[in-house]
Amino acid sequence: MNRIDLCVSGDFDMSSTIKVLSLSRVGVPFDGKPREGAISRLRMAPSYPVDYPYLIASENLSEPADILTIRDFRSVKKDMKKKLKKGIGLEMTVSPARKMDSVSVGKWFNSLEDLHKLCHWAGCQFIISSGATSKCEMISGPCLDAILKTVGIEPLHYWSNLTKWLEQRLARNVSYAKEAT
């Protein structure tokens, strides 16, 4: 099973950490140099060909992006239904839930479930990521599986769909695809 965490940042040895956590790939912010085995998260497409895999990530629904990170689903739900583009990845991170009280965590899980339903309805890819900013905040693959099960999502099906979506997105990245062939 290819477990993927598309939102990790921090200065530590990613390759050994993802093996220990039963993850196969991670997405990291681009800091000027690509990290081996990682997918770079960029704010805008590069203006020249590059030789590393990347995704465009944004928090703004109006900007073109591969991944739209949702901070507060309840506040953007109505706008999303109007402006959502088919095929985009809609991502919620686990990191904000770490600081919530029990009632807020329940609402967060409810938002996660609602976002998954919206993704299914709109033809988008549902993405759950750790949002980790350090090695200690990373979440293992089995823990991500447990969160998915809590929301009523079959982990094997989710990881398979995410892997397929990710490979399609990376292949659509013209700059990377040209360099890779």
Side-chain angles (χ1 to χ4, degrees):
M1 186 174 346
N2 288 325
R3 294 181 179 116
I4 304 163
D5 187 346
L6 289 174
C7 188
V8 177
S9 62
D11 189 25
F12 56 93
D13 180 15
M14 294 277 179
S15 58
S16 65
T17 304
I18 65 173
K19 287 177 187 173
V20 169
L21 295 174
S22 299
L23 298 170
S24 59
R25 292 183 94 174
V26 293
V28 298
F30 186 68
D31 60 1
K33 59 179 180 178
R35 291 191 188 196
E36 187 177 333
I39 300 163
S40 296
R41 289 174 63 108
L42 305 176
R43 294 188 180 178
M44 57 192 318
S47 56
Y48 52 89
V50 296
D51 63 351
Y52 55 86
Y54 70 85
L55 296 170
I56 307 301
S58 177
E59 292 181 20
N60 186 342
L61 189 56
S62 302
E63 295 176 359
D66 297 309
I67 297 176
L68 178 65
T69 302
I70 310 298
R71 298 277 177 218
D72 183 9
F73 180 66
R74 295 177 190 273
S75 67
V76 297
K77 187 175 182 178
K78 288 182 183 178
D79 285 340
M80 288 180 69
K81 287 184 177 181
K82 295 176 191 173
K83 299 179 181 180
L84 205 55
K85 294 179 181 141
K86 186 176 180 173
I88 192 170
L90 301 178
E91 174 185 62
M92 278 186 68
T93 59
V94 177
S95 60
R98 293 175 179 272
K99 299 173 185 143
M100 295 177 181
D101 61 17
S102 58
V103 172
S104 297
V105 169
K107 289 178 182 178
W108 180 83
F109 270 104
N110 190 38
S111 291
L112 206 58
E113 187 174 6
D114 288 347
L115 180 63
H116 179 257
K117 289 176 184 174
L118 176 65
C119 287
H120 184 71
W121 172 80
C124 296
Q125 176 61 49
F126 174 75
I127 301 170
I128 184 161
S129 299
S130 69
T133 57
S134 73
K135 184 177 180 176
C136 298
E137 289 182 353
M138 287 190 67
I139 298 174
S140 72
C143 286
L144 288 170
D145 290 349
I147 292 170
L148 291 167
K149 286 178 185 176
T150 301
V151 179
I153 301 168
E154 174 55 42
L156 188 59
H157 183 69
Y158 169 78
W159 295 119
S160 174
N161 286 343
L162 181 60
T163 300
K164 188 184 304 180
W165 175 86
L166 181 60
E167 293 307 319
Q168 289 173 348
R169 279 290 164 164
L170 293 177
R172 289 176 69 189
N173 179 335
V174 178
S175 299
Y176 177 66
K178 282 183 182 175
E179 289 293 320
T181 55

